[in-house]
Amino acid sequence: RAWRTGPPDGGWGWMIVAGCFLVTICTRAVTRCISFFFVEFQAHFGQDYARTAWIHSIVDCATMLCAPLGSLISNHVSCQVGIMLGGLLASTGLILSSFATSLEHLYLSLGVLTGLGFALCYSPAIAMVGKYFNKRKALAYGIAMSGSGIGTFILAPVVQLLIEQFSWRGALLILGGFVLNLCVCGALMRPISLKEDCKTAPEFLEQNYVPETEKQDLKQMSICLPLIKLWPHECLCCCSRKEYDFLLMPGFMVLAVSVLFMAYGCSPLFVYLVPYALSVGVSHHQAAFLMSILGVIDIIGNITFGWLTDRRCLKKHRYFCYLFAVGMDGLCCLFLPVLQSFPLLVPFSFTFGYFDGAYVMLIPVMTADVVGTSLLSSALGVVYFLHAIPYLVSPPMAGWLVDTTGSYTASFLLCGFSMIFSSALLYFARLAKKIKRTHLRSLTGNTALKHHIWTNGAIAYSVTAELDQKDVEFLALDTNSFSNR
């Protein structure tokens, strides 16, 4: 196997982007379209908002909760195997859901089984894009993750039509067949070997990637290198615990906490936008059209933000682009309760969809900037894992607030403030880091004093002063000349 020094930024990478594009259609777009079944499930089983909302919550929760499992299979078996297996599980879950006789049945089949299948596909496919691209990483992610918006735009009216023609059972059965395309996506995920991902034992020893206490073990293991070469990965990798060292990085910890609040705020809107539109007098087809608008503008947000944040002027400011997009979505949620007609809901779908596409695309880019490409798969697994609890809790919590208050106002306000807090947390964390860095620089400038030692041939002099690089070179030359005398 030929080892690449860096991502190719093209070539087969564009096929990886196409595969990830299809994966996001079959996972995230299908998950969003489950909201069209909300009213059908509620009417058929005679349940309230809170209990019915658990279906969508469990799908999202299982997808994110099992994301580390998808990363584990991708890292230690194969990305292709993981995505194909996930496609089979997700399709099976949707097909079994078409025969459901109770909400509990749907919790297991549509929630757990389908969500598990999506988990095995989603994070490995996204991580593969990061391995193939570096210079055009944001643009590649923008195209790949626009599948969520394009899929929502296409599937929203199609699912509504399928429900009207074949009932919700027939629609789920057809979606089950459609999701089998994930197996095709898995076949496209050709693995790539980067030198930064995996080093042999001698390379670890030369570059000091491990402490002294572990070097002796590596030296003993290097004796068995002929046997090691027979391993599937053809190299000696770091211990598995090294894959999760990023968990202690301050930057990653702040990002993780922010993701918790962001995930809580964004999830209920995709569940309740259609029911809310219907409650204010919008027709079923207009409500489906709102989701289609949101989906197509999501595409524009993915691609344009991906292109813009790859420009030199904004590449260094991706952090602030991300928190700005999250904050804008939070403001949209705050204004939603006063939008009670179709003409007013259309601008909302435009705005929310655009910034949703923007920050969703930037999540893997931000993660790669924090932990690096070699740990991206594991880090994305953890980031999407952190989505799990908010995705599980927020839709039923919003449904409980609707049942209790009789309106959607409290639910949407809570979502908006949660996303704004997520954005503000990132801003103040960066501000605190900047203040600390400035303070350290001021201290370093005043106290970082070194000793100059030189001689005139007979007497050695010592003067305290600041050293720069030229001083160091001069001192070394002067000392050597004295020793030669």
Side-chain angles (χ1 to χ4, degrees):
R1 179 182 299 177
W3 295 92
R4 288 183 175 270
T5 57
D9 272 298
W12 190 259
W14 294 116
M15 294 302 296
I16 299 297
V17 170
C20 186
F21 176 84
L22 292 174
V23 168
T24 55
I25 289 178
C26 294
T27 56
R28 303 312 299 159
V30 170
T31 301
R32 288 181 178 183
C33 289
I34 290 176
S35 62
F36 288 98
F37 296 92
F38 186 92
V39 177
E40 302 296 328
F41 291 153
Q42 192 178 31
H44 184 84
F45 297 107
Q47 300 294 336
D48 57 17
Y49 278 86
R51 291 199 62 189
T52 309
W54 277 105
I55 299 171
H56 192 282
S57 296
I58 295 173
V59 175
D60 265 336
C61 178
T63 301
M64 301 308 176
L65 189 68
C66 300
L69 178 61
S71 298
L72 185 67
I73 294 175
S74 174
N75 291 338
H76 297 282
V77 182
S78 169
C79 182
Q80 295 171 316
V81 171
I83 293 177
M84 289 181 177
L85 177 61
L88 291 174
L89 291 176
S91 178
T92 302
L94 286 165
I95 292 172
L96 291 177
S97 298
S98 65
F99 301 99
T101 57
S102 65
L103 282 183
E104 288 74 16
H105 186 162
L106 288 172
Y107 293 162
L108 293 175
S109 58
L110 186 56
V112 176
L113 191 57
T114 301
L116 175 60
F118 288 165
L120 298 184
C121 302
Y122 190 56
S123 59
I126 293 175
M128 284 295 291
V129 176
K131 289 182 178 294
Y132 271 84
F133 287 88
N134 184 24
K135 294 180 180 178
R136 291 178 284 184
K137 182 181 292 184
L139 177 61
Y141 271 125
I143 297 172
M145 303 190 74
S146 66
S148 177
I150 292 176
T152 304
F153 174 71
I154 297 174
L155 289 179
V158 170
V159 168
Q160 184 62 44
L161 183 63
L162 290 175
I163 292 173
E164 293 175 358
Q165 295 295 322
F166 304 106
S167 78
W168 63 268
R169 295 184 185 275
L172 285 175
L173 191 63
I174 294 171
L175 281 179
F178 172 74
V179 166
L180 275 176
N181 285 296
L182 286 169
C183 296
V184 179
C185 301
L188 294 174
M189 298 296 168
R190 180 188 297 172
I192 183 173
S193 300
L194 300 176
K195 287 187 177 180
E196 65 183 90
D197 293 338
C198 192
K199 302 282 185 181
T200 59
E203 289 173 319
F204 272 116
L205 295 174
E206 292 174 5
Q207 300 186 23
N208 296 323
Y209 280 100
V210 294
E212 291 292 336
T213 55
E214 297 182 15
K215 286 185 178 180
Q216 296 300 325
D217 295 336
L218 283 175
K219 288 179 180 177
Q220 295 175 2
M221 296 176 72
S222 64
I223 299 173
C224 303
L225 280 177
L227 295 176
I228 293 173
K229 289 180 180 179
L230 299 176
W231 292 6
H233 294 290
E234 303 174 1
C235 62
L236 178 65
C237 298
C238 279
C239 299
S240 59
R241 68 176 182 273
K242 297 291 184 182
E243 297 178 7
Y244 294 95
D245 282 347
F246 61 85
L247 291 174
L248 299 179
M249 293 181 181
F252 184 82
M253 294 173 69
V254 172
L255 178 63
V257 175
S258 173
V259 163
L260 290 173
F261 289 95
M262 180 272 293
Y264 182 92
C266 71
S267 181
L269 186 117
F270 292 101
V271 181
Y272 293 107
L273 179 59
V274 172
Y276 171 72
L278 296 174
S279 70
V280 296
V282 176
S283 67
H284 283 79
H285 289 287
Q286 287 177 329
F289 186 62
L290 288 174
M291 287 294 290
S292 295
I293 292 174
L294 193 150
V296 76
I297 300 302
D298 193 292
I299 306 164
I300 299 174
N302 285 144
I303 298 175
T304 58
F305 241 68
W307 182 83
L308 286 172
T309 52
D310 268 342
R311 302 303 94 195
R312 288 185 178 180
C313 58
L314 288 178
K315 197 166 187 176
K316 296 181 180 180
H317 304 289
R318 289 171 175 169
Y319 189 93
F320 294 101
C321 292
Y322 172 80
L323 64 89
F324 174 75
V326 173
M328 287 299 296
D329 264 3
L331 288 175
C332 289
C333 291
L334 294 182
F335 284 103
L336 184 56
V338 300
L339 308 178
Q340 299 187 0
S341 66
F342 181 72
L344 293 177
L345 288 172
V346 169
F348 166 82
S349 294
F350 271 90
T351 309
F352 187 89
Y354 182 82
F355 288 108
D356 178 75
Y359 78 76
V360 166
M361 178 277 303
L362 284 174
I363 288 176
V365 177
M366 290 258 305
T367 307
D369 289 344
V370 172
V371 304
T373 302
S374 59
L375 297 175
L376 179 58
S377 180
S378 300
L380 278 178
V382 174
V383 167
Y384 290 128
F385 171 83
L386 293 172
H387 285 65
I389 301 302
Y391 277 7
L392 179 67
V393 173
S394 58
M397 178 69 72
W400 177 79
L401 289 173
V402 173
D403 292 331
T404 303
T405 63
S407 72
Y408 291 85
T409 301
S411 299
F412 292 145
L413 289 179
L414 185 59
C415 292
F417 284 122
S418 180
M419 298 189 78
I420 291 173
F421 179 79
S422 172
S423 179
L425 179 65
L426 287 175
Y427 174 77
F428 286 114
R430 177 56 64 94
L431 185 62
K433 183 177 180 181
K434 185 176 180 180
I435 294 173
K436 181 179 179 181
R437 186 182 302 167
T438 304
H439 180 64
L440 287 175
R441 283 179 180 174
S442 64
L443 290 177
T444 303
N446 294 329
T447 62
L449 301 178
K450 303 295 182 181
H451 289 281
H452 284 255
I453 302 175
W454 69 88
T455 178
N456 61 2
I459 303 174
Y461 295 92
S462 176
V463 179
T464 303
E466 295 184 17
L467 277 175
D468 58 15
Q469 186 61 32
K470 293 183 179 179
D471 294 332
V472 174
E473 293 175 358
F474 174 78
L475 179 60
L477 290 173
D478 199 18
T479 305
N480 289 336
S481 63
F482 174 68
S483 61
N484 290 334
R485 293 179 187 177

